Amino acid sequence: MKKTIKRTFRVSRYVIYRETLVDYKEHFWSFLGAFFGIGIIAFIQSQHLTETENIFLIGSFGASSVLIYGAIQSPLAQPRNLIGGHVLSALVGVTIYKTVPDIIWLSAPLAVAFSIVLMQYTKTMHPPGGATALIAVSSAGKIPELGFWYVLSPVLSGCLILLLIALFFNNITPNRTYPTHSRFIKLLKKKHSQIHKLKK
């Protein structure tokens, strides 16, 4: 029992210590990734949509940015989770909205609860997906009018933009690797070693 308590205490101290470290380079790349990811989506919206059609830049993309640019090693931040979580949650949200459109006290919890279960079942858990489902049932104006097009744009198209930016900025230095899938890491390491050989 004492060994377990001591070990737990040591692990806790290490985790707290790691959390207090400030890695300026890491924060710099996180900043750039989030800036360009959200910036591109916002730019597309500002160029092609009027101010009243604020539909391309949905709130859940901000939460996704925290994961895919700031916590890139998290299982919840991987591409399968980013795209699968958002798309499945959007499908759930639109379906619930079409089934019970005028009963917000029922449609909102149903959309979030079903999206969580579906993400769990498909192993695509991505917390911002719950917000994507909620936006589908609680928004006014253009989003409800989109119907299932909401799944393709803004959700899928926005996710793809965020992912492309994440693949670039999260692999720009040898210290950052995204996604964490072993095949991708081996491919990336091979590419880095070939570049270093060519430089020599």
Side-chain angles (χ1 to χ4, degrees):
M1 183 69 175
K2 280 185 178 179
K3 283 184 179 179
T4 308
I5 292 169
K6 282 181 180 179
R7 187 178 178 282
T8 306
F9 181 68
R10 275 199 319 271
V11 171
S12 300
R13 276 178 51 186
Y14 176 73
V15 169
I16 291 165
Y17 168 73
R18 291 285 299 167
E19 288 298 316
T20 58
L21 291 177
V22 178
D23 186 341
Y24 294 106
K25 288 180 183 176
E26 187 74 16
H27 297 169
F28 173 73
W29 294 117
S30 296
F31 172 84
L32 281 185
F35 180 84
F36 280 99
I38 295 296
I40 288 170
I41 295 172
F43 178 77
I44 292 169
Q45 177 175 295
S46 68
Q47 294 299 306
H48 300 288
L49 301 167
T50 65
E51 287 180 18
T52 54
E53 293 175 320
N54 186 17
I55 56 167
F56 199 57
L57 187 63
I58 57 175
S60 52
F61 289 160
S64 289
S65 296
V66 174
L67 286 169
I68 66 170
Y69 304 120
I72 63 176
Q73 300 300 314
S74 169
L76 305 175
Q78 302 312 302
R80 173 191 172 98
N81 300 73
L82 170 69
I83 293 173
H86 274 296
V87 169
L88 292 173
S89 296
L91 280 167
V92 167
V94 174
T95 304
I96 295 294
Y97 179 78
K98 287 186 172 292
T99 309
V100 279
D102 299 322
I103 315 169
I104 191 68
W105 60 266
L106 182 60
S107 61
L110 278 175
V112 175
F114 272 123
S115 68
I116 291 169
V117 172
L118 190 56
M119 285 188 286
Q120 286 175 327
Y121 186 76
T122 55
K123 295 183 178 11
T124 56
M125 185 58 73
H126 188 66
T132 299
L134 190 60
I135 289 165
V137 297
S138 63
S139 295
K142 287 286 178 183
I143 287 179
E145 291 173 20
L146 287 173
F148 285 102
W149 284 107
Y150 169 72
V151 180
L152 296 176
S153 183
V155 175
L156 178 59
S157 55
C159 285
L160 291 173
I161 290 168
L162 292 176
L163 177 60
L164 289 173
I165 298 298
L167 289 172
F168 178 74
F169 282 105
N170 292 342
N171 295 298
I172 206 162
T173 66
N175 300 330
R176 289 169 69 90
T177 307
Y178 178 84
T180 56
H181 193 275
S182 56
R183 262 192 231 163
F184 188 83
I185 291 170
K186 284 176 187 174
L187 184 72
L188 209 62
K189 282 182 179 174
K190 193 176 177 182
K191 191 178 176 183
H192 275 297
S193 62
Q194 286 174 350
I195 290 167
H196 286 302
K197 283 178 185 176
L198 287 171
K199 284 180 179 177
K200 287 177 183 178

